[in-house]
Each structure stands twice: as C-alpha cells, then as structure tokens.
Amino acid sequence: MARQRSGSASFDLSEISRHAIRPRQLHTFSVHYSAANRWVATINVSDRHADEVLGFPGRHTCFSFTFESEFEAKRFAKSYAPPRMVPVSSNDAFPCCFMCKVRFPRKSTGSSSRRFLFQNCRNCGVAVCRSCCVAWSQRMIPKTYLMNESPHSVRVCKSCDWLGNAFCIALLRGRLDDAKALHATGNVNLRSTYPDIRGEAMFPVHCAVIGGNLDILRWLVDTHGCPIRVERTSAVQQLNQQSQQQYKFVMTSNGRSVLDVALAGK
C-alpha cells in the first residue's frame, strides 16, 4: 500500500476539504494527422518565469509524439502537458505560501535585485514555502514535467502529495467513486508510477487490478486512455511504414504486466 507520511492522519476522501488545491493550468498542446499516416501530439512549453522558478533562462521547448489514433494522441497530450509555474514577483508587496499563507523570506542574489525563498510544486505549479512541500521521486510525474532536467527527486506541495496517496489508496481498495472525485481536482497523474506498493513501483493500472474493481480499470483504460501496452518502434520501423507493429507491456519495477498482477491475485 502507498506509504503514509508522518503527519497525514487520513487519506479518506472526506479529508479533501482540509487541503488547499489549485487545479493545474497546463501548457498548450495540439494534435494533428501527419503525412506519415500517424497522429502527432505536440506539447508546447514556453514559460517566461522559468528563470526565477527553475533556475535557468526562460526558453521555448516543444515535445512531439506519434500515435495510431486520435484518441491516444489527445489523451497522451493532456496527461503529459506540464503545469505552468505560478510566478512570485519581486514587485509583490507580500508574497506568501499558497498553503500556510506565511510570507516568503527575501534572499540576496548578489545584485541590487531581491528575490524570495520559495518552492514551486512541480506537480501543480503553486508557490509554497519549504515547510509545505515534500520530495517525490522524479518517476511520480510525467517526464515532460522535468523540462529536460534529470533530477533524482522533485519538490511537490503537500496537497499534491496527499492527493497522490489518496488516489493510490482508492485504486488499491477498489473505490471508483473516490478515484473519480480525486481525479476531478485536476492534479492526479494517471501515467506515472507509485514507487512503493508493497516494495514495488506500479502504475495506476496495476493498482486498479490489485483493487479488484474492473470498472476502475475500464475507466482508466477506456475513458482516459491509460495504456496496458505501448508500441515499440525503432528508427528503421519509423521509416518503413509497412513494418509490422510490435508492442511491449507496461511493467511494474519487478517486470510484471497487468495480466501478471491479475494472475498473482495481489
């Protein structure tokens, strides 16, 4: 089961009102049909606040991925379009933490400009103080959220941490209505792993199988396009449109597919 962090009394849906949640504001994305008879999902990342939020000059990055169907392309783009980081300007009179409302302390940058000490949640984008964020494995968020970085861990707000734990537990306990309500917040990742499910990293589709509720698995796969297998293509296959398509199953960290988890009964 998802590891409960100290200080989190409950991950029951009834506790959701206790958490300050701001739905993600996503970067733009588009889907089009290409001359190669493939659907292309394009995610545009342009953040003029990137220099202050992430520590490097603002830049424009474009990610493109190809799919067999329009449905797959659209669901992928929505899942992988990263959130916009909420800026904290030096001109703000009293910038404060989104969660606890404590004012951010100022820091000197070695020049005449002054900035504030804060963290942006890499899962939803809000600005929070150090006390209101926790560390996640970078595998718990989509790769496109990392902006071409390769950190071992990322900082997320405690509200997103609670949502992630609550959603995982809802899947493991087969609670479809709870899972839908938590996903409706806009800040739940359906295609990223949970790192410690009985010592094994699993995707939500694996957790749904453990929960034993096929309606949840159908909701993830049919409604939100969560794959249980993905297309495997090489550079040669991409050039040769007549090549036979090959697939690989979405695996847990122990190399188990959805079917393997179902057959094991746990």
Side-chain angles (χ1 to χ4, degrees):
M1 183 165 295
R3 180 179 299 169
Q4 296 191 11
R5 298 180 183 274
S6 60
S8 297
S10 172
F11 293 110
D12 190 84
L13 182 62
S14 62
E15 298 291 315
I16 194 170
S17 61
R18 295 176 177 267
H19 300 272
I21 298 171
R22 176 185 180 273
R24 288 187 282 225
Q25 303 297 313
L26 302 179
H27 283 276
T28 60
F29 59 86
S30 61
V31 172
H32 70 275
Y33 196 64
S34 71
N37 299 323
R38 302 278 293 181
W39 287 94
V40 180
T42 302
I43 299 171
N44 298 295
V45 181
S46 179
D47 198 334
R48 63 188 179 88
H49 304 292
D51 57 338
E52 183 166 344
V53 172
L54 302 177
F56 48 70
R59 62 187 180 185
H60 181 87
T61 302
C62 180
F63 302 99
S64 293
F65 307 87
T66 61
F67 300 89
E68 290 183 293
S69 70
E70 183 181 14
F71 173 81
E72 290 177 287
K74 286 183 175 180
R75 292 298 181 271
F76 178 91
K78 186 175 182 180
S79 295
Y80 279 80
R84 295 182 182 275
M85 299 292 106
V86 176
V88 174
S89 172
S90 298
N91 296 323
D92 292 341
F94 302 108
C96 62
C97 174
F98 175 76
M99 296 188 64
C100 70
K101 308 307 179 185
V102 169
R103 294 180 185 177
F104 294 133
R106 290 181 178 271
K107 71 173 182 178
S108 174
T109 61
S111 65
S112 59
S113 62
R114 304 283 292 182
R115 298 187 187 276
F116 299 94
L117 290 169
F118 67 95
Q119 299 284 331
N120 272 95
C121 173
R122 296 301 290 272
N123 190 62
C124 73
V126 298
V128 293
C129 66
R130 188 76 178 180
S131 298
C132 289
C133 61
V134 299
W136 269 9
S137 164
Q138 53 97 355
R139 294 184 178 181
M140 293 181 68
I141 61 174
K143 290 183 178 180
T144 48
Y145 283 28
L146 300 175
M147 304 284 192
N148 290 324
E149 297 176 284
S150 299
H152 178 71
S153 63
V154 294
R155 306 296 296 185
V156 301
C157 69
K158 287 185 176 180
S159 289
C160 283
D161 185 56
W162 182 88
L163 278 174
N165 276 282
F167 184 73
C168 180
I169 290 173
L171 298 180
L172 294 172
R173 294 179 178 174
R175 297 176 177 174
L176 176 59
D177 291 341
D178 286 7
K180 286 183 174 181
L182 293 163
H183 177 260
T185 63
N187 294 348
V188 170
N189 300 319
L190 299 181
R191 301 191 182 202
S192 301
T193 60
Y194 293 103
D196 189 13
I197 310 300
R198 300 168 184 167
E200 187 174 7
M202 294 186 176
F203 287 91
V205 288
H206 301 112
C207 297
V209 171
I210 291 178
N213 188 336
L214 288 179
D215 288 336
I216 294 183
L217 187 60
R218 293 191 189 98
W219 174 69
L220 289 172
V221 176
D222 296 340
T223 303
H224 294 286
C226 296
I228 58 176
R229 67 174 187 174
V230 293
E231 186 178 357
R232 176 187 293 165
T233 58
S234 65
V236 174
Q237 288 174 321
Q238 290 176 353
L239 292 174
N240 183 6
Q241 297 181 22
Q242 303 301 319
S243 297
Q244 184 176 1
Q245 294 171 329
Q246 297 181 352
Y247 296 89
K248 60 180 179 180
F249 288 102
V250 174
M251 299 290 194
T252 69
S253 60
N254 289 348
R256 297 199 295 164
S257 67
V258 167
L259 181 59
D260 293 330
V261 174
L263 291 175
K266 61 179 182 178

